[in-house]
Amino acid sequence: MPGYDAIVIGVGGMGSSTLYHLARRGLKVLGLEQFEIPHELGSSHGYSRMIRYTLQEHPSYVPLVKRAYELWHELEQNINETLVVTTGSVRAGPPDSDFYRGAIESCDLHQIPYEILNNTEVNRRFPGYQFPDDISSVYQPDGGFVLPEMCIVGHAQAAEEAGATIHTGETVLGWEIQNDSVSIRTNHEVYSAARLVVTAGAWAAKLVPNVATYAIPERQVLGWFQPERPELFTPERFPVFGIWTEEGRYYGFPNYSVPGFKIGKSHHLFQKVDPDTMDREVRPEDEEVLRRFTSRYFPLAAGELLDRKTCIYTNTPDEQFMIGVLPGQPQVSVAAGFSGHGFKFASVIGEIMADLAQNGVTSHDIELFRLDRFDR
Ligand SMILES: Cc1cc2nc3c(=O)[nH]c(=O)nc-3n(C[C@H](O)[C@H](O)[C@H](O)COP(=O)(O)OP(=O)(O)OC[C@H]3O[C@@H](n4cnc5c(N)ncnc54)[C@H](O)[C@@H]3O)c2cc1C
């Protein structure tokens, strides 16, 4: 008999949520994490992750984010902590850009309310913004951010309370199918489980050959600048934003946890990396990428750099997720390749992964994320 009903590799954003759902369904589960919970070496740190209905990535993410919101609020009640901060969200870009139009399309298709604001209107309403006149904005009042470290700890704690076992400082070195179960070898031990779930973030390619060529880690950098007028950059007065500009695609958050305006550029310097050897220092050229943009679009926030962090995206070729049961290996399922926009969904991804481990299928629509789509 296998020792566990399911083992989850990686207790980060997706893994902590998967453990939570499996444990609450009464399964005997073990989560294996190579570092601590939480930690700053993966993809889920930096105090805030945007959550929004304006999903220009694809309209079929909208039902998932609806369920994600429900599950975040359920977890907030279970652990008696705030996990979601509502600020409103702005998606902005030239009116003919796919980024801007896609945000509108996803709302229209799913009857999500929003407002269109030109640059004068957006700058007047949110005076921390100073967008130029070729930029249009979609404002959606329900957007905001989730607190990633708190979400991970909350899921892990509630999973433990429901009976899950979690080991930290334990690295999975390999796994193999043995008859109906899976044998999992770590730096400490060999375990067996009826089902294996791999939620290893930037390390997924090292553990699952099926995603190795398609889930590529990329170095990212986050910066927190001191605003000249901090009162304009509070969660009450400053909606989270994503913007498509000639300088690239940037996103930002109000002051929260760090007394500074948080800013990042998607794909930063386009550096593909190995997560075990990535340069984790923030260099002057990294700061320059963030400062140049801030000075132009948010000049009242372009003061001292108060904090800085590196982080990792795990990109797929079409920037959609990879989720499913491995073809021909029904004992193993994987969730990987979140391409810089996965955290908001972590609560529902855990539910999906628990469905796949328990039943091999889920009622959520995950067709967009098929593991075999690049091979077909
Ligand atoms: C800078 C930045 C900004 C982002 N902004 C947003 C945003 O605003 N909104 C949004 O929705 N998403 C955002 N994302 C994306 C989102 O954060 C990620 O999609 C999400 O955190 C991925 O979660 P994960 O569980 O796959 O990875 P992680 O949380 O990194 O978890 C993977 C875990 O697996 C562990 N692990 C790996 N290999 C092993 C092994 N062999 N043995 C044991 N443990 C192992 C790792 O240590 C790690 O803890 C952003 C990402 C970055 C980097």
Side-chain angles (χ1 to χ4, degrees):
M1 284 288 285
Y4 291 92
D5 295 322
I7 287 182
V8 177
I9 306 180
V11 188
M14 309 305 164
S16 60
S17 170
T18 304
L19 278 177
Y20 168 82
H21 285 279
L22 285 170
R24 282 167 59 98
R25 293 177 192 190
L27 273 73
K28 188 179 177 199
V29 281
L30 170 66
L32 295 170
E33 170 54 52
Q34 61 185 342
F35 303 126
E36 297 82 38
I37 300 171
H39 63 84
E40 296 212 334
L41 300 170
S43 305
S44 300
H45 55 283
Y47 318 116
S48 50
R49 289 290 185 272
M50 206 174 295
I51 183 161
R52 55 188 156 82
Y53 287 108
T54 46
L55 287 153
Q56 88 287 336
E57 291 89 349
H58 198 282
S60 63
Y61 286 102
V62 176
L64 287 180
V65 87
K66 282 187 180 164
R67 180 64 180 148
Y69 266 111
E70 282 173 11
L71 289 167
W72 289 128
H73 291 316
E74 202 176 287
L75 182 63
E76 281 180 321
Q77 293 202 331
N78 284 349
I79 64 170
N80 205 17
E81 296 275 2
T82 297
L83 299 173
V84 183
V85 179
T86 304
T87 59
S89 74
V90 166
R91 281 329 251 179
D96 59 352
S97 61
D98 289 345
F99 188 79
Y100 168 80
R101 292 157 68 107
I104 294 175
E105 196 183 310
S106 66
C107 289
D108 283 345
L109 214 63
H110 294 280
Q111 288 92 48
I112 305 291
Y114 63 87
E115 288 174 65
I116 300 288
L117 304 177
N118 65 27
N119 71 311
T120 314
E121 289 161 337
V122 88
N123 297 345
R124 191 174 49 227
R125 198 134 143 203
F126 311 114
Y129 286 52
Q130 292 202 14
F131 286 175
D133 57 13
D134 58 339
I135 295 290
S136 290
S137 297
V138 186
Y139 173 69
Q140 208 290 320
D142 304 303
F145 56 91
V146 292
L147 313 180
E149 293 89 348
M150 302 273 292
C151 292
I152 291 172
V153 173
H155 269 140
Q157 213 166 285
E160 280 177 342
E161 281 164 19
T165 304
I166 298 177
H167 295 177
T168 60
E170 186 162 357
T171 305
V172 174
L173 303 174
W175 56 269
E176 60 180 320
I177 304 282
Q178 281 183 345
N179 305 321
D180 274 350
S181 64
V182 191
S183 159
I184 294 123
R185 186 169 50 87
T186 76
N187 54 343
H188 295 324
E189 196 76 64
V190 178
Y191 304 95
S192 71
R195 293 289 178 267
L196 173 65
V197 180
V198 184
T199 48
W203 288 263
K206 297 192 182 212
L207 289 164
V208 186
N210 307 56
V211 306
T213 15
Y214 304 122
I216 309 295
E218 184 188 38
R219 180 176 175 274
Q220 305 298 311
V221 174
L222 291 165
W224 284 261
F225 289 102
Q226 184 167 38
E228 186 186 309
R229 295 193 49 199
E231 74 279 10
L232 302 181
F233 294 86
T234 62
E236 295 73 31
R237 297 191 70 186
F238 189 92
V240 296
F241 73 88
I243 183 170
W244 183 274
T245 68
E246 59 198 22
E247 293 91 347
R249 203 171 89 206
Y250 284 79
Y251 55 87
F253 299 80
N255 289 9
Y256 199 90
S257 294
V258 174
F261 161 72
K262 176 182 171 184
I263 175 83
K265 178 180 186 237
S266 286
H267 302 301
H268 194 63
L269 291 171
F270 299 92
Q271 296 160 308
K272 290 180 185 171
V273 290
D274 178 326
D276 290 317
T277 57
M278 182 180 99
D279 177 8
R280 294 179 184 274
E281 284 292 309
V282 174
R283 316 251 166 215
E285 58 271 27
D286 294 317
E287 180 177 339
E288 183 50 27
V289 169
L290 305 180
R291 183 174 291 286
R292 207 181 320 127
F293 169 86
T294 305
S295 304
R296 178 166 178 202
Y297 296 87
F298 299 92
L300 296 173
E304 283 295 301
L305 188 64
L306 297 176
D307 199 359
R308 57 199 61 74
K309 292 186 193 300
T310 55
C311 191
I312 313 176
Y313 276 8
T314 307
N315 300 315
T316 65
D318 58 6
E319 298 195 2
Q320 313 298 1
F321 311 157
M322 296 186 82
I323 298 176
V325 176
L326 295 189
Q329 296 178 314
Q331 301 90 336
V332 184
S333 45
V334 61
F338 288 96
S339 304
H341 61 110
F343 200 93
K344 66 180 79 60
F345 303 104
S347 55
V348 65
I349 301 293
E351 182 171 71
I352 290 169
M353 297 315 288
D355 289 346
L356 295 182
Q358 205 178 6
N359 310 317
V361 290
T362 179
S363 56
H364 291 286
D365 179 4
I366 56 168
E367 182 63 23
L368 185 66
F369 313 136
R370 285 180 69 106
L371 297 179
D372 63 359
R373 67 185 184 278
F374 305 118
D375 298 320
R376 282 191 294 172

